[in-house]
Amino acid sequence: MLARGVSRTCVRGSSGLVQQGMLARPAAASRASSVRAYALSVGDKLPEAKFRYFDSEGNMKELGTEQLCKGKKVVLFAVPGAFTPTCSMKHLPGFIEKAEEIKSRGVDAIGCVSVNDAFVMDAWGKSVGAGDKVLMLADGNGQFAKALGVELDLADKGLGLRSRRYALLAEDQVVKVLNLEEGGAFTVSSADAILEALA
C-alpha cells in the first residue's frame, strides 16, 4: 500500500527492481550489513538540511534544502566521496556534460552532494570544470544523508560515514524520482537516467 501523498512516479533501484510510487526494498542477501534500510520514498518531502558551498567569488555560503528546492524543480545526486574514481570519471562528469540538456527540460538547478567539506567539494568541482553547471554541495557532517536514511558506513576503509550513491528529482521539495544505488555502485543514478525520467 502506498503512503499518503506518494505519486505514481517510476523509481529504480540498482537491484533492477522497478516499482511505481515507492522504491522496492533490496533482498536481504544483497543488502550490505553496513547500510541502514533507507527511509526516503517518492512522494516524501525532502528534509531540511544545511549545505555549504563556495560561490563564484570564492565566498563560503550556506544553503538550506528549502531555499534550494522550494517552488523549483531540482536534481540532486550524491556520491560516496569527492575525487574517488567512479565519482570523478563518470558520475559528476556525466551531469556536467548533460547539464544544459537537463535544464532545458525545466530543471532549475543541479546539485552534487557528498559528505565532504566545502573546501574539498570546491576543489573537486574546479578540477572537473563544474563551473555554474552543477552546485557542489558539502554535506560535511552527513546531516542530509542521515535525514534521508542513506548513510553508508565506510569506516572499515578509513572513510567514516558517507552517503550512498543516488540521483533524485524533486519538485517544490517533493521527491518525484529516486534512483538509489546499493552502496557505491553506479548503475541507475546517471545523468542519462535522469534525462530518461524527464522525457
Side-chain angles (χ1 to χ4, degrees):
M1 181 176 178
L2 298 181
R4 182 181 303 169
V6 172
S7 67
R8 305 295 296 182
T9 306
C10 189
V11 187
R12 187 179 302 170
S14 60
S15 61
L17 297 177
V18 178
Q19 289 193 358
Q20 290 186 326
M22 66 181 192
L23 190 59
R25 299 286 180 180
S30 65
R31 187 183 301 136
S33 60
S34 61
V35 178
R36 182 167 70 84
Y38 49 83
L40 189 71
S41 296
V42 166
D44 289 347
K45 182 179 178 180
L46 287 174
E48 180 59 16
K50 300 294 184 184
F51 304 108
R52 285 186 169 80
Y53 72 100
F54 281 93
D55 65 16
S56 59
E57 297 179 353
N59 301 307
M60 186 185 288
K61 300 286 187 179
E62 187 175 84
L63 181 65
T65 311
E66 182 175 355
Q67 184 183 352
L68 174 64
C69 302
K70 189 172 184 179
K72 302 172 188 174
K73 185 183 286 189
V74 175
V75 169
L76 294 176
F77 66 98
V79 299
F83 291 106
T84 54
T86 301
C87 308
S88 293
M89 293 187 289
K90 296 179 180 179
H91 206 178
L92 175 55
F95 277 94
I96 293 171
E97 181 184 343
K98 303 285 186 177
E100 240 179 78
E101 190 175 352
I102 291 171
K103 290 178 180 178
S104 74
R105 300 189 187 184
V107 171
D108 297 292
I110 303 169
C112 175
V113 181
S114 184
V115 183
N116 288 108
D117 64 69
F119 295 95
V120 169
M121 291 297 284
D122 184 56
W124 186 35
K126 288 175 179 174
S127 75
V128 293
D132 59 358
K133 295 178 180 178
V134 175
L135 284 167
M136 303 301 293
L137 302 173
D139 182 23
N141 295 318
Q143 178 190 19
F144 190 59
K146 291 173 186 174
L148 296 186
V150 296
E151 62 266 50
L152 179 65
D153 185 357
L154 296 178
D156 61 333
K157 295 177 174 61
L159 298 173
L161 175 75
R162 298 298 176 113
S163 171
R164 289 172 66 178
R165 191 186 305 279
Y166 63 81
L168 66 82
L169 172 67
E171 293 184 28
D172 195 21
Q173 301 177 258
V174 176
V175 178
K176 298 296 183 181
V177 177
L178 175 61
N179 294 343
L180 180 63
E181 306 278 7
E182 285 301 304
F186 182 56
T187 57
V188 299
S189 60
S190 66
D192 285 331
I194 288 294
L195 279 169
E196 184 181 334
L198 288 165

